């Protein structure tokens, strides 16, 4: 048995080890390749990535044995972490006074030769070792030792990358829960606010009807303002709800459909008037995708092309093409255009181009953010090209599904 060896900074060292969240995790190819390479370079029987825990040494990777851990008080690696800045090289444990009181075995294999490189984190704590062992006396060449040192540094880098990935995963889980809470909040708020708003609109019309002979022009304008504001608030609530419910659209299964049929459904929903001229894609291409998500994208883009258009005759042109991996779409209108300094932020949530629409209302900056979110979830991307007072073109792609 090896006498118990405890570093003077043991509590801090153990805290650093625990913070990695790597103890008792599954084997990973990246670590196993390192121990296999260490055995090959040093021509040894056993190679380990050993982490020295409070009362055991646990092997993140092992090459040459099958056990996952051994007691710390029978661990050469626990001795190696005492001096983080230098390797522990033992040519023959039987001739070393520190370890020759009794034979050292791993799976009944006698450990005669040992070389361990401490795995030192960025704060200087030795978490364990990358070590090689053999059942006969050996020596490592300078190049072999340099290679073992380089591999040990790669192990530490992998530890840090694993921790960052774990931290990111935890953050993503928190964000997912928060988004779920926000979606539920938006749903509840929309339900609770829509009915009062509907009552305000109805009551406004009723009061105007009852008091029509008693109201002057200014009073009627106030009633109209109340009604218009209520409709604006209702639209805002709908847009917020659409944004947070866009995640659920992605869960729909892909289906095949003709693009122009989908676009004509949207035209009917938007109740387009005679002064709107829409050109559909040539050939009426067949699309296989998430139909409801793509419908929401086109509904927003076409709706914006109509709302933000100051021309007497509104013209919208929609084009489609594809390659082996993606569908490509282009929506162009002859509308107001987007100021150049707003082009880079137009897809940000609650960001607008600071222009009023055809009816004199200002947007809320939710629609295009929802569009971008949906397109990204469909595996694509979107960009905008615009000339003020002339035209705006939205180009986007979505990934094909098979």
């Amino acid at each position: 048995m090896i006498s118990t060896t405890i570093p003077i900074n043991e509590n801090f060292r153990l805290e650093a080890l625990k913070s990695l969240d790597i103890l008792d995790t599954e084997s990973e190819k990246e670590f196993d390749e390192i121990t296999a390479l260490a055995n090959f370079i040093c021509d040894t029987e056993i190679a380990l990535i050993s982490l020295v825990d409070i009362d055991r040494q646990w092997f993140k990777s092992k090459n040459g044995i099958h056990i996952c851990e051994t007691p710390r008080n029978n661990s050469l690696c626990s001795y190696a972490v005492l001096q983080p800045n230098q390797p522990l090289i033992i040519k023959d444990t039987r001739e070393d006074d520190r370890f020759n009181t009794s034979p050292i075995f791993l799976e009944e294999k006698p450990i005669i030769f040992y070389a361990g490189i401490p795995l030192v984190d960025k704060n200087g704590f030795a978490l364990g070792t990358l070590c090689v062992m053999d059942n006969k006396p050996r020596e490592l060449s300078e190049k072999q030792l340099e290679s073992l040192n380089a591999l040990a540094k790669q192990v530490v880098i992998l530890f840090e990358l694993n921790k960052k990935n774990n931290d990111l995963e935890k953050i993503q889980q928190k964000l997912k829960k928060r988004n779920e809470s926000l979606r539920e909040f938006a749903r509840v708020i929309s339900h609770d606010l829509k009915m009062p708003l509907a009552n305000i609109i109805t009551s406004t019309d009723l009061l105007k009807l009852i008091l029509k002979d008693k109201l002057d022009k200014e009073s009627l304008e106030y009633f109209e303002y109340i009604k218009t504001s209520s409709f604006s608030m209702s639209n805002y609530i709908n847009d917020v709800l659409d944004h947070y419910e866009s995640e659920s659209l992605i869960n729909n299964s892909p289906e095949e459909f003709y693009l122009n049929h989908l676009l004509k459904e949207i035209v009917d929903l938007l109740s387009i008037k005679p002064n709107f001229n829409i050109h559909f894609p040539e050939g009426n291409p067949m699309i296989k995708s998430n139909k409801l998500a793509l419908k929401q994208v086109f509904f927003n883009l076409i709706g914006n092309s109509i709302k933000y258009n100051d021309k007497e005759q509104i013209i919208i042109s929609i084009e489609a093409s594809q390659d082996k991996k993606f569908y490509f779409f282009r929506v162009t209108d002859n509308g107001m255009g987007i100021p150049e300094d707003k082009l880079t932020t137009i897809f940000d949530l609650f960001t607008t181009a600071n222009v009023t629409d055809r009816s004199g209302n200002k947007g809320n900056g939710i629609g295009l953010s929802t569009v971008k979110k949906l397109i990204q979830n469909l595996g694509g991307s979107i960009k905008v090209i615009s000339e003020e007072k002339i035209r705006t073109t939205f180009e986007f792609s979505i990934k094909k599904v098979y």
Side-chain angles (χ1 to χ4, degrees), residues 190-392:
S190 67
H191 178 271
D192 291 348
L193 290 181
K194 274 186 173 182
M195 185 58 71
L197 284 170
N199 290 337
I200 291 171
I201 293 168
T202 304
S203 298
T204 301
D205 286 338
L206 183 60
L207 283 171
K208 281 174 65 179
L209 183 63
I210 294 172
L211 302 172
K212 62 179 180 179
D213 297 329
K214 301 178 182 180
L215 296 175
D216 57 20
K217 182 179 179 182
E218 185 178 0
S219 298
L220 286 171
E221 288 177 353
Y222 279 125
F223 272 107
E224 193 61 34
Y225 176 75
I226 292 171
K227 185 176 177 180
T228 302
S229 297
S230 298
F231 273 120
S232 295
M233 179 61 75
S234 181
N235 291 334
Y236 185 83
I237 291 168
N238 288 334
D239 287 344
V240 170
L241 189 60
D242 287 344
H243 181 78
Y244 285 109
E245 287 188 340
S246 62
E247 292 284 348
S248 61
L249 287 178
I250 299 304
N251 298 325
N252 293 319
S253 300
E255 53 185 299
E256 287 188 327
F257 55 91
Y258 287 104
L259 178 59
N260 290 6
H261 293 176
L262 175 70
L263 295 172
K264 287 173 182 176
E265 288 178 20
I266 295 170
V267 169
D268 291 339
L269 285 172
L270 290 170
S271 302
I272 293 181
K273 298 175 182 178
N275 61 333
F276 298 121
N277 191 355
I278 296 186
H279 302 286
F280 295 117
E282 293 182 3
N284 193 14
M286 174 71 76
I287 303 291
K288 185 176 182 181
S289 183
N290 184 325
K291 184 177 180 180
L292 288 178
L294 190 59
K295 186 175 183 178
Q296 185 66 44
V297 169
F298 275 113
F299 186 87
N300 275 280
L301 293 179
I302 295 172
N304 279 355
S305 291
I306 295 169
K307 284 197 298 184
Y308 297 99
N309 199 305
D310 54 356
K311 307 300 189 299
E312 184 176 342
Q313 182 71 29
I314 295 175
I315 301 173
I316 300 172
S317 175
I318 302 172
E319 302 171 66
S321 61
Q322 58 184 290
D323 62 16
K324 291 183 179 180
K325 293 184 177 181
F326 291 91
Y327 297 109
F328 302 95
F329 305 97
R330 181 182 291 115
V331 179
T332 303
D333 64 60
N334 65 334
M336 303 174 184
I338 301 169
E340 187 175 352
D341 62 339
K342 300 295 181 182
L343 291 176
T344 57
T345 60
I346 198 69
F347 296 106
D348 295 345
L349 186 61
F350 302 124
T351 299
T352 68
N354 292 325
V355 295
T356 56
D357 64 20
R358 192 175 182 87
S359 302
N361 300 314
K362 189 175 178 182
N364 51 45
I366 299 176
L368 287 179
S369 173
T370 303
V371 165
K372 182 178 180 180
K373 187 177 179 183
L374 285 168
I375 289 171
Q376 288 178 335
N377 285 333
L378 291 171
S381 60
I382 185 169
K383 68 176 182 178
V384 59
I385 305 164
S386 186
E387 297 177 71
E388 281 194 85
K389 304 297 182 183
I390 300 176
R391 70 176 62 85
T392 296

Side-chain angles (χ1 to χ4, degrees), residues 80-88 117-118 120 124 126 149:
V81 299
L82 291 173
Q83 296 179 300
N85 298 319
Q86 63 183 59
L88 175 64
I117 309 295
V120 182
N149 265 299

Side-chain angles (χ1 to χ4, degrees), residues 168-184 244 247 251:
L168 284 173
E169 190 172 337
K170 289 176 182 177
I171 291 171
Q172 287 174 342
Q173 290 299 321
K174 287 181 180 179
L175 288 174
K176 184 178 179 181
K177 289 181 180 179
R178 185 172 295 179
N179 282 336
E180 288 172 355
S181 298
L182 285 171
R183 277 199 299 273
E184 180 60 19
Y244 285 109
E247 292 284 348
N251 298 325

